[in-house]
Amino acid sequence: MERVKENIVLVTPENFQAEVLESDRPVLVSFFAPWDQASRMQHPALDSIADKHPEIKVCKLDVEEYDAFAGQFGIMIIPTTIAFKNGKKIKRATGLRLENVLLSLVQ
């Protein structure tokens, strides 16, 4: 399992409900694969959002480890980032995105 920063939550099918759907703040979930170059290049933007915006929860889900679960969200391209608010998907961005684009998903 990939190591993540302390202010980024590694989500699984077991904790997704509590961490994402029941969150009291907007959530960005990055669906990634540890071997994928674009996913690795996306991490600094997510780290920066987690550091600068405590009002937003940043989560990562490993699609290789949880491929069937990721499939429920229609993940075809990695990285894909989905924004959730009040337990609902509100926006999504596929591929490598700049920090300001990821932030715009929850604003």
Side-chain angles (χ1 to χ4, degrees):
M1 184 181 310
E2 171 173 302
R3 295 179 59 88
V4 295
K5 291 177 56 117
E6 63 187 38
N7 55 353
I8 294 179
V9 178
L10 198 58
V11 290
T12 67
E14 291 76 30
N15 70 358
F16 195 88
Q17 177 81 27
E19 293 291 349
V20 177
L21 302 180
E22 295 172 1
S23 177
D24 59 355
R25 54 191 168 144
V27 184
L28 284 175
V29 180
S30 175
F31 293 81
F32 77 99
W35 50 263
D36 179 62
Q37 182 66 25
S39 291
R40 287 197 302 268
M41 292 171 64
Q42 186 76 81
H43 292 330
L46 294 164
D47 293 346
S48 179
I49 291 169
D51 288 341
K52 296 178 191 171
H53 298 277
E55 74 280 7
I56 300 169
K57 183 185 274 190
V58 178
C59 300
K60 295 180 182 177
L61 186 133
D62 184 339
V63 299
E64 190 168 67
E65 193 169 346
Y66 304 109
D67 59 332
F69 187 72
Q72 295 176 23
F73 295 92
I75 304 303
M76 306 290 270
I77 297 168
I78 52 173
T80 291
T81 305
I82 301 179
F84 291 83
K85 202 176 220 178
N86 300 320
K88 307 255 188 289
K89 291 183 281 186
I90 54 170
K91 291 184 185 168
R92 73 189 287 146
T94 55
L96 182 59
R97 299 291 176 185
L98 296 172
E99 181 177 341
N100 64 328
V101 173
L102 295 175
L103 268 175
S104 73
L105 297 176
V106 292
Q107 294 174 334

